[in-house]
Amino acid sequence: MVLGCLLALFASLSPAMAAHRERTFLMVKPDGVQRGLVGEIIQRFERKGFKLVGMKFLQADEALLKKHYEELAGRPFFNGLVKYMQMGPVVAMAWEGLNVVKTGRDIIGATNPMESSPGTIRGDLCIQVGRNIIHGSDSVPSADRELALWFDSKELVSWKQEMETWIYEETK
């Protein structure tokens, strides 16, 4: 009986609510992987209520990293950033949820960990900009571009998270 009610409630989620969902790209950088922080980072996003829809553990090559960071290509730190990102494996992730891009950036904290608030990933776990353990898309267009760069569409999974009715209100 309870299960039937829950399934009916889930089925009643309005299309309007689903339309406000978006996806974002997050990447645990080599320093985050080396420090064993992948699980904690995933846990923070799951506890918030966001849904993991794609994940890979890989050693990114120079071409992929240059494409990913292409908007920084003219900056003096660009070559060092690409070299640093090749120093170890990364964990690339796709997350889905209501306002996940902006909220994800809030969870991550400011680029400079010394300017990040306590309670954010960078505020709690980092000290220097050059070792700030995580990348997160800064806009929906950036998220779309980064997701397409790191994931084939077949690698992103659409699935029903049964607890969504306890995370999102139904909107009409």
Side-chain angles (χ1 to χ4, degrees), residues 21-83:
R21 305 277 175 90
E22 59 193 26
R23 288 184 172 174
T24 195
F25 175 76
L26 298 178
M27 175 175 42
V28 181
K29 297 177 180 179
D31 53 319
V33 172
Q34 290 290 335
R35 291 179 55 199
L37 298 172
V38 175
E40 180 168 344
I41 290 167
I42 290 171
Q43 183 181 45
R44 288 184 187 218
F45 280 84
E46 286 181 329
R47 285 193 334 213
K48 182 68 177 179
F50 294 129
K51 179 170 59 172
L52 184 63
V53 295
M55 183 166 68
K56 352 172 142 169
F57 182 68
L58 70 148
Q59 181 73 46
D61 64 31
E62 182 178 7
L64 176 59
L65 292 166
K66 283 184 173 182
K67 186 76 173 157
H68 176 83
Y69 288 113
E70 68 186 359
E71 72 278 1
L72 302 174
R75 307 292 288 270
F77 58 83
F78 178 73
N79 290 330
L81 173 62
V82 171
K83 184 178 177 183

Side-chain angles (χ1 to χ4, degrees), residues 22-26 45 50 95-108 136-144 147:
E22 59 193 26
R23 288 184 172 174
T24 195
F25 175 76
L26 298 178
F45 280 84
F50 294 129
W95 289 87
E96 183 178 278
L98 185 64
N99 206 23
V100 70
V101 173
K102 182 193 178 310
T103 306
R105 294 287 293 190
D106 291 343
I107 292 168
I108 291 169
S137 300
D138 61 4
S139 68
V140 172
S142 289
D144 293 341
L147 288 167

Side-chain angles (χ1 to χ4, degrees), residues 29 108-111 113 116 120-126 132 134-135:
K29 297 177 180 179
I108 291 169
T111 301
S116 292
T120 64
I121 291 169
R122 290 177 176 154
D124 291 347
L125 304 171
C126 306
N132 65 7
I134 187 169
H135 165 85

